[in-house]
Amino acid sequence: MTDVVSVLDPHTSHTKREDSILLREVSLRTPGESHVDMCIQCGTCGGSCPSGSAMDHTPRAIFAMLRAGMRDDVLNSNTPWMCVSCYFCTVRCPQNIHITDVMYTLKNMSLEARKPTMPVASPPPTAWGLKNSSIDPKKYNPTAADFSKTFIWMVENFGRSFEIGLAGVHNVRHFITRLPNMTPMAIGMLTKKGMSPLPPKRIKGMDQLGKILQRAKELESS
Amino acid sequence: MSDYIFYPGCSMESSAKAYYESVMAVCKPLGIGLKEIEDWNCCGATEYLSLDITPAYALIARNLALAEEQANGNKTIIAPCSACYLNLAKADHYMHDDKAFGNKINEALAAGGMHYTPGKLAVRHLLDVIINEVGLDKVKENVVKPLAGLRIAPYLGCMLPRPDYGKRYSDTEHPDELDRLLSALGAEVIDFPLKTHCCGGHMTQIGPDTAFEMIHRLISSADALNTDVIVTVCPMCQMNLDAFQGQMNNHFKTNFKIPVLFFTQLMGIAFGEKAESLGFGSEFVSAAEAISRVRVQAPKPAEDAPVAKKKTPGLPMPPLRTKTDHTQEAGR
Ligand code: SF4
Ligand code: SF4
């Protein structure tokens, strides 16, 4: 990985150091060489983004904010949570910045900033306390994060995901008003697609998978 | 050739059974043997990466480790779901590209007594294997019922052509692989301008209005091009465009009814397989009428179950929003 600091002013002022720390953290947490420090602010990413209209900052703005060390603003932004991983920005970026992967990293960081300890595979929603008071728990998309958590709760308990349970739990929690609209669809899943409303069978290696994930979590925070 | 390693993914067991059945039905005549990875686990879709990067990659890599262990001659994994395909390819790519990262993931795997050698396996989607390994000549040999007169919009979605770590597709935004396959089946292939645009992904669950917007773009564009059938290569794309088409219609006060099928279902029809054995009838928007154009009788989906009657006293529900904003609809 590139040493991000080295591309910045050698006479590093305090602010510049703060900036480079944020850029460097994002770079270190993103697998491979993400080139996160190479943005030329061309705006191609924002112009390519299908969820741009739902984002409070364009991807381009996020890269400017990262460089400016605006940690809290970045982690409060809904931008990463609105990303649908379409990779348009990634293939179009003239600087080969792995934008989609950076969005994943920012989601990780935004959740981490909101919790003192990560509960292991607890069924969401989880009331997470705050570590940093300037991180506003309401200012990110809890629906998106909760969907991820519900999904992972299933994977960590069964080794497989299953869509009916996932959609059911999630919609009861977040879109209760949509349920009447959803009902024909849920019934369709059972009658048309012949889906089972029961959870999947646990994989045989559940113990093994548990140990792997546990170790991975330790490595992540080390 | 020995069997390919097969990673079906969770949807193939539930919402995308039609895909599973039709994949099996077309691989046989094409000589593609599939051996399912024993005790595979979920790939985490796009959700685990959002929460926790290292465990997310470890989760994916357990499948790669199992596949490496169970591989027998053939070192190619076939994943028919675009999200699974990309996750497996991504994990292999970054573990190989970034040695420190690869070691970290292997350290996690070691806690379960496993190991994966980055770069050892090739991760490929079924479409790519059919086009680039099996070849279109072999496909044509198997066509007994050309899909003449069926206007098809080939739809690939995002994760197959992008970021394309293996450089297997002709373009990241407008690749022609699926078009060529459908032409080989004798279909009338539409040059679908939105073929690699997003289906909405998980937004149907977390921001339905955004998702409806994306689904609407695709469906209305296909409709303007007189599409009989949209063909997909991914369970999530199929689900979003088919199962959510009704809700999208409600949202925009439109009445589109374009069937959305898996490419393997239409291959099966062209290969002379019975529609019943290809999962027809499990779609929300019936494909029976479209398929009748090639003189094939396909089962219709079960009738919509009646929505619970309003008058019966049930759980107290918050009032429904009755007005939808149509202003966006103008000028589309
Ligand atoms: S496309 Fe790349 S270089 Fe251009 S603004 Fe976006 S991230 Fe920066
Ligand atoms: S990958 Fe995410 S940020 Fe990039 S264009 Fe797609 S939705 Fe926007």
Side-chain angles (χ1 to χ4, degrees):
Chain A
M1 260 175 234
T2 323
D3 185 355
V4 179
V5 181
S6 65
V7 301
L8 295 172
D9 188 348
H11 312 289
T12 327
S13 68
H14 174 70
T15 356
K16 281 217 167 148
R17 206 175 305 130
E18 289 292 307
D19 307 351
S20 65
I21 287 169
L22 180 60
L23 269 183
R24 200 222 288 261
E25 180 178 351
V26 173
S27 171
L28 282 174
R29 295 178 67 142
T30 311
E33 175 47 84
S34 61
H35 308 119
V36 62
D37 54 330
M38 300 290 282
C39 178
I40 52 168
Q41 292 292 298
C42 69
T44 303
C45 47
S48 308
C49 184
S51 350
S53 60
M55 292 175 170
D56 45 27
H57 303 97
T58 62
R60 181 203 55 77
I62 291 289
F63 285 94
M65 289 154 71
L66 283 174
R67 177 166 288 173
M70 295 163 71
R71 186 185 187 90
D72 293 351
D73 298 272
V74 170
L75 300 187
N76 274 332
S77 172
N78 77 352
T79 298
W81 297 104
M82 291 295 116
C83 170
V84 290
S85 306
C86 75
Y87 293 86
F88 264 122
C89 54
T90 301
V91 298
R92 289 180 178 177
C93 173
Q95 294 295 83
N96 191 18
I97 298 174
H98 299 173
I99 303 172
T100 317
D101 289 327
V102 170
M103 291 297 167
Y104 284 127
T105 303
L106 295 178
K107 287 189 238 198
N108 280 227
M109 288 171 65
S110 140
L111 284 176
E112 201 178 272
R114 288 178 168 76
K115 65 185 162 86
T117 48
M118 169 73 107
V120 179
S122 72
T126 329
W128 284 358
L130 296 183
K131 189 167 75 178
N132 180 341
S133 57
S134 61
I135 297 289
D136 180 348
K138 294 190 202 78
K139 276 185 79 181
Y140 77 123
N141 189 325
T143 320
D146 267 6
F147 181 68
S148 300
K149 285 188 241 164
T150 309
F151 190 103
I152 291 321
W153 176 78
M154 285 182 181
V155 174
E156 290 184 351
N157 282 278
F158 295 99
R160 303 258 166 108
S161 61
F162 90 113
E163 295 147 309
I164 287 203
L166 178 61
V169 171
H170 183 73
N171 280 289
V172 164
R173 203 162 273 149
H174 290 284
F175 296 107
I176 192 86
T177 55
R178 281 187 189 272
L179 279 182
N181 207 0
M182 297 278 301
T183 313
M185 182 168 150
I187 294 172
M189 291 291 172
L190 304 176
T191 57
K192 295 180 184 157
K193 294 200 180 282
M195 284 168 71
S196 160
L198 302 172
K201 266 218 239 99
R202 273 192 172 76
I203 61 166
K204 281 185 255 149
M206 205 53 237
D207 258 15
Q208 177 192 48
L209 178 60
K211 284 182 194 144
I212 293 173
L213 295 180
Q214 189 52 46
R215 183 74 190 114
K217 282 176 194 176
E218 290 160 18
L219 288 166
E220 171 109 316
S221 48
S222 67
Chain B
M1 191 188 229
S2 53
D3 290 353
Y4 286 91
I5 311 162
F6 184 53
Y7 180 84
C10 300
S11 322
M12 298 284 260
E13 296 188 323
S14 55
S15 64
K17 279 184 197 137
Y19 199 14
Y20 187 86
E21 287 164 14
S22 54
V23 165
M24 293 303 155
V26 302
C27 279
K28 212 167 162 204
L30 291 178
I32 303 177
L34 299 172
K35 187 173 173 295
E36 185 169 324
I37 301 175
E38 224 173 283
D39 208 40
W40 56 270
N41 54 260
C42 174
C43 77
T46 52
E47 306 313 319
Y48 215 161
L49 283 168
S50 307
L51 281 189
D52 240 341
I53 287 176
T54 311
Y57 279 97
L59 180 81
I60 304 167
R62 178 175 175 273
N63 295 313
L64 293 172
L66 284 173
E68 184 182 352
E69 209 173 273
Q70 295 166 20
N72 182 9
N74 194 328
K75 301 278 184 247
T76 299
I77 303 185
I78 291 185
C81 164
S82 304
C84 301
Y85 155 75
L86 179 58
N87 272 349
L88 293 166
K90 198 189 230 328
D92 179 53
H93 173 79
Y94 281 133
M95 285 179 75
H96 190 257
D97 212 42
D98 181 341
K99 293 280 173 298
F101 181 73
N103 292 341
K104 180 156 84 169
I105 300 304
N106 264 322
E107 203 179 323
L109 286 179
M114 307 187 88
H115 181 270
Y116 174 64
T117 318
K120 189 70 177 276
L121 302 172
V123 181
R124 306 179 70 161
H125 187 276
L126 180 62
L127 175 66
D128 155 40
V129 171
I130 291 176
I131 296 278
N132 297 315
E133 295 262 299
V134 176
L136 289 178
D137 288 341
K138 178 96 185 192
V139 172
K140 283 180 197 153
E141 274 170 31
N142 279 284
V143 175
V144 295
K145 203 166 192 46
L147 305 179
L150 197 60
R151 280 182 63 81
I152 307 184
Y155 175 64
L156 293 152
C158 312
M159 296 184 181
L160 203 59
R162 288 186 299 272
D164 193 13
Y165 296 116
K167 301 264 171 288
R168 300 191 189 280
Y169 295 90
S170 47
D171 192 62
T172 51
E173 300 189 20
H174 215 67
D176 65 2
E177 279 75 10
L178 184 55
D179 305 50
R180 289 196 282 132
L181 174 64
L182 295 169
S183 297
L185 304 179
E188 197 179 318
V189 183
I190 295 165
D191 187 11
F192 188 40
L194 305 186
K195 62 161 76 155
T196 70
H197 279 228
C198 180
C199 71
H202 67 181
M203 291 310 256
T204 46
Q205 301 301 320
I206 63 184
D209 291 1
T210 311
F212 295 152
E213 173 76 36
M214 296 188 200
I215 294 168
H216 182 267
R217 278 179 214 165
L218 292 166
I219 298 286
S220 60
S221 164
D223 183 68
L225 293 163
N226 299 320
T227 299
D228 293 325
V229 180
I230 297 176
V231 156
T232 63
V233 297
C234 167
M236 170 118 90
C237 299
Q238 198 278 338
M239 166 94 98
N240 280 3
L241 296 187
D242 175 42
F244 285 90
Q245 202 174 124
Q247 287 188 49
M248 178 278 285
N249 276 328
N250 291 345
H251 185 81
F252 285 105
K253 301 277 181 283
T254 50
N255 194 23
F256 296 114
K257 278 200 177 72
I258 303 186
V260 185
L261 296 172
F262 294 105
F263 74 110
T264 43
Q265 287 180 285
L266 284 181
M267 286 179 81
I269 292 290
F271 289 2
E273 300 284 340
K274 285 217 164 55
E276 287 78 11
S277 60
L278 297 166
F280 278 85
S282 63
E283 66 278 3
F284 276 70
V285 179
S286 174
E289 199 193 314
I291 294 305
S292 70
R293 287 168 166 265
V294 288
R295 290 171 307 282
V296 171
Q297 273 242 312
K300 288 201 172 116
E303 284 300 308
D304 273 332
V307 187
K309 282 168 240 121
K310 296 238 164 66
K311 299 249 166 58
T312 39
L315 289 171
M317 286 283 184
L320 272 176
R321 266 195 305 152
T322 44
K323 282 224 172 85
T324 327
D325 182 10
H326 315 229
T327 44
Q328 298 183 341
E329 178 63 1
R332 201 175 299 280

